[in-house]
């Protein structure tokens, strides 16, 4: 099974096979992680995303990493939090599982996730973290090409939640790296 890690840092600076973008359904760039990834990857990313024709909530699509250290970007469209009664938990879990599937189909060995849907989409982080860790662990329960899965956090509070969840899940491999 892949090693699960949590780091504090800038996902656009990670040297992994793929980073996950918390994208919008149009794959058009935006704020938060999505905007940061688009800015760091360069204009070619916008053109590549336009050719993909958008993406459904709970799903994901792949582009090259362009100017990033990561060789690929997996654009995952998480759910907007609407109170928890519209399938948000299942859609969030499906985002993580779909990203793992795409990574395996491309024989990637490392992947880094942000906290999908926890920014402007309003998914409560305390609910999202166990869903993220559980979905990744479930997706990795079979043979996988992935050797390293990183949960990349931008702030210390979210980092602490992931560290606690990984510890409780028996997967403690938490490392703290300074943000660049």
């Amino acid at each position: 099974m892949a090693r699960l890690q949590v780091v504090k840092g800038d996902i656009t600076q990670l040297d992994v096979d793929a980073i996950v973008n918390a994208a919008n359904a149009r794959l058009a760039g935006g704020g938060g992680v999505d905007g940061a990834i688009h800015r760091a990857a360069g204009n070619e990313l916008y053109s590549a995303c336009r050719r993909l024709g958008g993406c459904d909530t709970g799903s994901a699509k792949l582009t090259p990493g362009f100017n990033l250290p990561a060789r690929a970007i997996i654009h995952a469209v998480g759910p907007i939090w609407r109170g928890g009664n519209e399938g948000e938990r299942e859609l969030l879990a499906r985002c993580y599982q779909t990203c793992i599937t795409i990574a395996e189909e491309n024989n990637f060995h490392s992947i880094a996730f942000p906290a999908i849907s926890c920014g402007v989409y309003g998914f409560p982080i305390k609910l999202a973290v166990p869903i993220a860790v559980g979905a990744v662990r479930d997706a990795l329960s079979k043979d996988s090409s992935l050797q390293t899965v990183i949960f990349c956090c931008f702030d210390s509070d979210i980092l602490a939640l992931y560290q606690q969840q990984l510890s409780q899940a028996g997967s403690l491999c938490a490392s703290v790296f300074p943000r660049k």
Side-chain angles (χ1 to χ4, degrees), residues 1-2 17 100-110 140 142-148:
M1 183 175 198
D17 289 328
I100 295 292
T101 299
I102 290 171
E104 290 171 338
E105 288 170 349
N106 287 277
N107 201 34
F108 294 159
H109 298 287
S110 56
L140 294 172
K142 59 185 179 2
D143 285 338
S144 176
S145 63
L146 285 166
Q147 297 168 1
T148 304

Side-chain angles (χ1 to χ4, degrees), residues 6-161:
V6 59
V7 301
K8 180 181 177 189
D10 179 348
I11 198 166
T12 68
Q13 299 300 309
L14 296 180
D15 187 6
V16 292
D17 289 328
I19 62 169
V20 175
N21 180 15
N24 58 52
R26 294 177 304 134
L27 304 180
V33 171
D34 191 17
I37 289 172
H38 273 264
R39 285 188 299 277
N43 291 332
E44 297 97 344
L45 179 58
Y46 178 75
S47 298
C49 286
R50 275 192 77 172
R51 289 190 296 275
L52 293 175
C55 185
D56 293 332
T57 301
S59 192
K61 293 188 176 179
L62 182 69
T63 65
F66 299 106
N67 296 332
L68 297 173
R71 75 180 216 225
I73 304 166
I74 301 172
H75 305 270
V77 180
I80 296 171
W81 182 256
R82 301 186 193 287
N85 296 316
E86 296 188 30
E88 295 99 316
R89 290 170 180 85
E90 294 81 9
L91 287 167
L92 184 61
R94 191 177 326 145
C95 277
Y96 285 93
Q97 292 164 342
T98 301
C99 291
I100 295 292
T101 299
I102 290 171
E104 290 171 338
E105 288 170 349
N106 287 277
N107 201 34
F108 294 159
H109 298 287
S110 56
I111 186 172
F113 287 97
I116 298 171
S117 286
C118 294
V120 296
Y121 281 16
F123 207 109
I125 190 68
K126 288 184 179 180
L127 296 177
V129 169
I131 292 168
V133 172
V136 167
R137 286 178 57 86
D138 288 349
L140 294 172
S141 63
K142 59 185 179 2
D143 285 338
S144 176
S145 63
L146 285 166
Q147 297 168 1
T148 304
V149 176
I150 299 169
F151 295 101
C152 186
C153 307
F154 195 70
D155 80 28
S156 297
D157 293 336
I158 296 173
L159 176 82
L161 290 171

